[in-house]
Amino acid sequence: MDSQIRSIHQQLVNKEITCTSLVQEKLDLLAKNSHNTVNSLLIDTALKLAKKVDDKIAKDEKIGLLEGIPFGIKDVYMVQGTVTTASSKLLKDYKSAYTATAIQKLLDAGAIPLVKENCDSFGHGSSSENTIFGAVKNANNPDLVGGGSSGGSAVNVALDYTVFSIGGDTGGSIRQPAGYNHVYGLKPTYGRISRYGLMAYASSTDCVGPIAKSVEDIRIVLNAMSGKDTKDQTTYASEHISEDSLSTSENIKTVGYFKNFIESEAIDDKVKTDFLSAIENIKAKGIEVKALDFFESNTLVSTYYTLAMAETASNLSRLDGTNYGNRIEAENLKETYAVTRSENFSEETKRRIVGGNQVLSQGFSDEIYLKGLALRDAISNNFEEDFKAVDVIISPVTPSTPPKIGDSLKDPLAMYLSDAYTVGFSLGQLPTLTIPQGTETGLQITAAKNNDELVLKFANFLKDTI
């Protein structure tokens, strides 16, 4: 199978390249790039680690598959000693005191971190424009958005500035930018990878996941990060996914799709036509395709944002300038809190905090928040029934193509609705992978909980099918 990781590993082992030269080349590209993907470069750390790899190879010592492979980190992950800003004014000078579990596992495997990557502030956005570092520009057309919130991570992979990057997905924040930039992006089953050290947006749907240029590289990185973590009680022990297991898709007999997604007035005509063409190609391979009923897009978006805003209001309540962040002094403590948060949070973050506090407030919580929780349960039950009838579900990643930079900021509602095809799978806590095929912004493949292997298996099958 195609794999940049395996190719670079072999070049290092064969002494065709040095790790130091590889890392320096990537750092130079990142430093010069004009797509606003970089919040900070980890130059000293990267070069120091690269030298260690070169020293091992010089002594003919064996190196691991990920050892010496350069990667990027969305700037919402703690990495000890680095500035972790979440692309926000509030945390522009905040230094991590520890390292996130998922990132530590990659470091333990010998992968080399190059960059903390630009994103929507605290993950609040679908375009990577809500950031103090400037809007991330699409890898294929710099006039368009890079997608969000993991826009910098997806663009860096697409432009080969990193071999892979670690994004964060709450309601589509890995999958949508992966689609916009024509790369692979995985939101694993909720709990497969520890969230410890990831700045929380919505704790019930936040997922750590990889972005890369091949299914095989996604598999390699997923295996490295997966597993139970005593610091995150939602994690579980997961089975290793082998390379050989992805080579056959014989156990995938039936594929489903949500007909209301395709019949929606919101879907772009070209996206719809291309998706239906992909369906026909799948049928031509002897796989049965079933049209499924699902919740309307507006219901999915409303449910997701009701719960996500409530959770982010709670999670960000600690950021008041006392223990964390850029404190702005005022006449009294209450005013200090108010000014610090008003001046340092982006408009989008403030919009989500206000919305979250409203749905949690007395008089609204029963009417809105509890109804959202009930709908989430109904959505999960719907998925359980669907996966009794089909093996996997495919869907467009987005109803339309990437907007121009600036357009999303003028219309927040349109930005929320761009998540219509991703948020349902987040609410269901299901493994979902974007592949750069099928439509202009790719396709999503989804399976039942804990069936991440099946998602990768079908993605590998579709490489030569559509």
Side-chain angles (χ1 to χ4, degrees):
M1 278 191 278
D2 294 338
S3 170
Q4 280 195 64
I5 292 173
R6 289 191 181 279
S7 176
I8 292 170
H9 172 74
Q10 203 56 53
Q11 287 177 291
L12 289 170
V13 169
N14 294 343
K15 300 180 182 179
E16 296 169 15
I17 60 172
T18 67
C19 189
T20 299
S21 64
L22 171 66
V23 165
Q24 188 63 63
E25 177 191 346
K26 298 295 187 185
L27 288 170
D28 290 343
L29 290 170
L30 286 162
K32 294 174 185 174
N33 101 84
S34 57
H35 286 72
N36 291 337
T37 62
V38 176
N39 287 2
S40 60
L41 291 176
L42 311 180
I43 298 172
D44 293 342
T45 298
L47 291 174
K48 182 179 178 181
L49 292 174
K51 185 179 184 305
K52 286 184 178 180
V53 174
D54 285 333
D55 289 344
K56 284 184 71 172
I57 294 170
K59 296 174 186 175
D60 292 324
E61 294 179 17
K62 186 177 179 180
I63 63 169
L65 185 56
L66 280 170
E67 205 160 348
I69 305 298
F71 74 104
I73 304 167
K74 182 179 180 180
D75 199 10
V76 290
Y77 289 96
M78 301 298 171
V79 180
Q80 188 173 17
T82 71
V83 175
T84 302
T85 71
S87 294
S88 70
K89 187 177 179 183
L90 186 71
L91 298 177
K92 64 180 181 178
D93 298 317
Y94 177 72
K95 224 170 211 187
S96 304
Y98 64 98
T99 298
T101 296
I103 305 304
Q104 188 60 57
K105 286 188 172 187
L106 292 171
L107 298 178
D108 292 344
I112 298 179
L114 301 181
V115 55
K116 303 295 284 292
E117 297 167 320
N118 199 1
C119 57
D120 284 302
S121 177
F122 296 105
H124 298 159
S126 303
S127 62
S128 291
E129 294 174 282
N130 298 297
T131 162
I132 61 170
F133 296 100
V136 174
K137 300 177 183 179
N138 190 285
N140 306 296
N141 181 346
D143 293 330
L144 306 180
V145 301
S149 59
S150 307
S153 303
V155 172
N156 279 340
V157 170
L159 295 175
D160 290 317
Y161 296 161
T162 60
V163 177
F164 67 90
S165 285
I166 304 305
D169 193 306
T170 306
S173 296
I174 285 175
R175 291 163 286 153
Q176 185 248 48
Y180 278 4
N181 294 283
H182 306 164
V183 292
Y184 290 87
L186 175 68
K187 184 199 84 64
T189 299
Y190 180 81
R192 185 183 180 99
I193 301 174
S194 173
R195 292 177 291 112
Y196 180 74
L198 164 65
M199 287 189 194
Y201 167 12
S203 303
S204 67
T205 57
D206 284 345
C207 288
V208 178
I211 299 172
K213 278 194 164 181
S214 70
V215 178
E216 175 62 0
D217 286 349
I218 292 285
R219 182 194 70 84
I220 292 168
V221 179
L222 175 65
N223 279 335
M225 294 192 296
S226 296
K228 190 165 180 61
D229 179 15
T230 56
K231 296 171 183 172
D232 179 357
Q233 296 304 309
T234 64
T235 56
Y236 61 92
S238 55
E239 291 187 10
H240 178 90
I241 300 173
S242 70
E243 181 182 6
D244 291 342
S245 69
L246 304 189
S247 61
T248 174
S249 59
E250 292 175 0
N251 56 339
I252 300 175
K253 306 290 186 184
T254 311
V255 172
Y257 73 94
F258 296 130
K259 59 186 178 184
N260 59 301
F261 280 12
I262 308 307
E263 294 169 357
S264 168
E265 293 181 1
I267 192 170
D268 181 271
D269 287 341
K270 183 73 162 56
V271 172
K272 178 178 180 177
T273 300
D274 289 347
F275 179 80
L276 293 174
S277 177
I279 290 288
E280 292 305 314
N281 288 336
I282 292 169
K283 286 181 180 178
K285 292 292 184 178
I287 294 175
E288 183 183 2
V289 177
K290 292 184 178 180
L292 304 170
D293 294 316
F294 198 47
F295 292 80
E296 290 300 317
S297 298
N298 286 347
T299 301
L300 295 172
V301 172
S302 298
T303 302
Y304 168 74
Y305 276 102
T306 294
L307 300 179
M309 286 184 179
E311 291 184 36
T312 202
S314 176
N315 282 326
L316 294 188
S317 62
R318 74 195 76 175
L319 300 181
D320 55 20
T322 301
N323 292 314
Y324 309 100
N326 178 36
R327 183 183 180 95
I328 300 175
E329 296 290 347
E331 292 181 8
N332 54 56
L333 186 60
K334 185 177 179 180
E335 282 298 310
T336 294
Y337 288 160
V339 173
T340 294
R341 288 166 67 83
S342 295
E343 293 296 321
N344 285 310
F345 281 138
S346 70
E347 291 303 309
E348 184 57 37
T349 293
K350 286 187 278 190
R351 187 179 293 117
R352 297 188 188 205
I353 290 173
V354 169
N357 284 329
Q358 182 173 4
V359 302
L360 290 172
S361 63
Q362 189 174 4
F364 286 97
S365 60
D366 288 353
E367 184 180 344
I368 302 175
Y369 180 67
L370 295 182
K371 186 182 290 185
L373 291 176
L375 276 167
R376 182 173 66 184
D377 290 342
I379 289 165
S380 293
N381 292 336
N382 197 119
F383 280 127
E384 287 183 15
E385 293 303 311
D386 286 339
F387 286 117
K388 292 176 183 176
V390 301
D391 299 309
V392 297
I393 294 171
I394 66 169
S395 65
V397 179
T398 60
S400 55
T401 53
K404 288 185 177 180
I405 289 174
D407 287 357
S408 295
L409 298 179
K410 298 173 190 172
D411 191 350
L413 180 58
M415 179 180 69
Y416 299 159
L417 292 174
S418 73
D419 298 333
Y421 296 169
T422 56
V423 294
F425 304 119
S426 294
L427 292 167
Q429 300 185 334
L430 305 176
T432 308
L433 173 72
T434 287
I435 65 171
Q437 296 166 272
T439 78
E440 177 62 27
T441 56
L443 293 175
Q444 286 180 109
I445 304 168
T446 306
K449 280 184 182 179
N450 305 326
N451 276 346
D452 303 62
E453 180 180 294
L454 199 63
V455 167
L456 300 183
K457 193 184 291 270
F458 195 58
N460 194 47
F461 166 77
L462 289 183
K463 279 194 309 181
D464 303 316
T465 301
I466 56 174

